[in-house]
Amino acid sequence: MKRWIALALVLVMAFSLVACGSTSSSQPAAGSGETGGEDLPVLKVAVMPFLNTLPIVYMIENGLDVANGFKIETVYFANGTAMNEALAADQWEVGTLSAAAVNSLAIYGAYCIADIGHSEGGLYTLCKSDSPIAAVKGANPSYPDVYGDADSLRGAVIATQTGTISHLNVNKWLEVLGLTPDDVELVSMDFPSAYQALKTGNCTVAALNPPTSYTAEAEGYVVTSSLTTLGVPQYDSIIVSNKAFNNRRDMLVNYVKAFFQATDALQADPEMATQMLYDWYTENGSETTLEACATEVETRPFVTSEEAKTVTIGESVEVTGEFWVSQGLLEESKYPEIATHVDDSIVKEALGF
């Protein structure tokens, strides 16, 4: 009798293990790189620990890839620079990038096929509330929400990470106030260090990006300019490798369909998007709060399928490319490649416009 009981227990345990094994491989988690067992074509999708990956997370968790006839295999990268380096080695086929898309198009021959998120949110210049800069607003009537004027800003020490979009923000701010970079002292440092310099009085202005910019704003520093108030477009874009663009068009059309199904859902439910972003940051080792995530979701909205029909694709990456040329970060001879690697036919087919 004991032997029969023992045998029965062994059979039950074996059945349980088989059942658990089949469940765990049925749907890959974002960032896992697993493809599951479905007989569907696989698309290698680059992901990063940022907001612009959230639609991909949503697509996977809700099976939008499978519903649209393909399977996502994720490839994880820490930042856009690493994505571009891997692009040269053909390690991914489609991904989402902002400023780094300049090199993707101009150097690596990739294509921008859709703009999917407003990435200008949170790109701020900030000063202390008692600064003379904060006492002047709307000096240029065309930019009524921009603080400062030529007199209050001339000679200011501005701390930022040069060569970034935050640096572009500084240059545009100076331009609308009738100044040039030669009229201020620009000090290069990473964003947390720039914020510390502002707090300690070692600079007049800090040009920051999220999440540091949101922290500074919450602590009472005055947002003197932003890409939003300066009217500078900046988008996260869907970027595809040259090989995928030329050989997997049908798959890319389905991917864009699924992507905008995800952005529509995320925009319709900001509380869900906030929780998903918090979980995504936490999963990838970033310290944050639900409040900070809510601010990012609010100020950096995704482009919906309807808004996508009104967006001029590639405009922001060309603006960034011009700035990079001016800073010696991109050879001028490479700049024309950006325009030749922008294509709106895939998103038009996907969304029917």
Side-chain angles (χ1 to χ4, degrees):
M1 179 63 71
K2 290 181 178 179
R3 282 202 300 269
W4 283 111
I5 292 173
L7 178 59
L9 288 172
V10 168
L11 290 172
V12 169
M13 291 177 65
F15 178 81
S16 299
L17 287 171
V18 170
C20 290
S22 63
T23 301
S24 65
S25 61
S26 64
Q27 177 63 55
S32 69
E34 298 175 6
T35 62
E38 295 84 355
D39 187 19
L40 290 172
V42 173
L43 192 63
K44 292 189 292 184
V45 179
V47 298
M48 295 190 292
F50 305 127
L51 175 66
N52 60 17
T53 285
L54 211 58
I56 301 167
V57 176
Y58 185 92
M59 288 161 66
I60 294 171
E61 290 183 354
N62 291 276
L64 296 183
D65 53 345
V66 174
N68 283 279
F70 65 96
K71 193 71 176 176
I72 288 176
E73 176 185 338
T74 57
V75 187
Y76 183 87
F77 298 98
N79 52 52
T81 300
M83 274 182 62
N84 274 327
E85 292 171 352
L87 182 60
D90 199 30
Q91 292 180 17
W92 57 274
E93 297 172 286
V94 58
T96 309
L97 286 169
S98 182
V102 170
N103 280 347
S104 305
L105 276 56
I107 296 175
Y108 298 107
Y111 282 81
C112 172
I113 62 169
D115 289 333
I116 57 82
H118 295 269
S119 59
E120 65 267 20
L123 288 163
Y124 300 155
T125 58
L126 304 104
C127 70
K128 292 182 177 181
S129 59
D130 59 357
S131 168
I133 296 170
V136 183
K137 186 179 181 182
N140 184 332
S142 298
Y143 302 91
D145 295 318
V146 171
Y147 284 82
D149 60 9
D151 291 337
S152 61
L153 195 54
R154 185 177 285 107
V157 177
I158 302 176
T160 193
Q161 192 165 333
T162 57
T164 65
I165 298 300
S166 290
H167 186 181
L168 170 62
N169 184 25
V170 171
N171 283 14
K172 290 293 182 180
W173 182 35
L174 295 172
E175 181 182 315
V176 304
L177 297 181
L179 300 173
T180 72
D182 292 334
D183 294 314
V184 298
E185 181 181 348
L186 193 65
V187 181
S188 183
M189 57 182 71
D190 62 52
F191 298 116
S193 298
Y195 182 37
Q196 288 302 314
L198 179 62
K199 294 173 74 172
T200 58
N202 289 317
C203 69
T204 317
V205 173
L208 308 174
N209 76 342
T212 311
S213 56
Y214 294 130
T215 301
E217 182 183 20
E219 292 187 0
Y221 291 90
V222 176
V223 178
T224 54
S225 75
S226 69
L227 290 187
T228 303
T229 60
L230 292 168
V232 179
Q234 197 66 205
Y235 289 97
D236 285 303
S237 305
I238 295 178
I239 306 300
V240 300
S241 70
N242 191 288
K243 184 176 179 181
F245 180 82
N246 287 297
N247 298 313
R248 309 198 77 181
R249 181 185 176 87
D250 290 345
M251 178 91 71
L252 294 174
V253 169
N254 291 338
Y255 179 82
V256 171
K257 281 182 185 176
F259 202 103
F260 279 104
Q261 288 168 3
T263 62
D264 285 347
L266 291 165
Q267 278 304 107
D269 192 343
E271 289 187 7
M272 175 188 68
T274 295
Q275 185 63 55
M276 285 185 65
L277 181 60
Y278 177 82
D279 293 342
W280 180 240
Y281 278 146
T282 303
E283 178 183 336
N284 290 285
S286 296
E287 293 186 8
T288 188
T289 64
L290 278 172
E291 291 76 11
C293 290
T295 299
E296 187 167 1
V297 166
E298 179 183 359
T299 58
R300 309 187 89 177
F302 291 111
V303 174
T304 64
S305 56
E306 283 305 306
E307 185 188 359
K309 299 173 183 179
T310 68
V311 174
T312 302
I313 297 172
E315 183 180 8
S316 68
V317 75
E318 289 193 37
V319 170
T320 306
E322 288 179 354
F323 170 66
W324 281 24
V325 169
S326 73
Q327 299 300 307
L329 301 172
L330 178 70
E331 292 181 16
E332 189 171 0
S333 62
K334 293 289 186 181
Y335 177 74
E337 292 294 318
I338 296 174
T340 63
H341 287 88
V342 173
D343 183 277
D344 63 2
S345 65
I346 290 174
V347 69
K348 286 182 175 179
E349 183 176 345
L351 301 182
F353 71 101

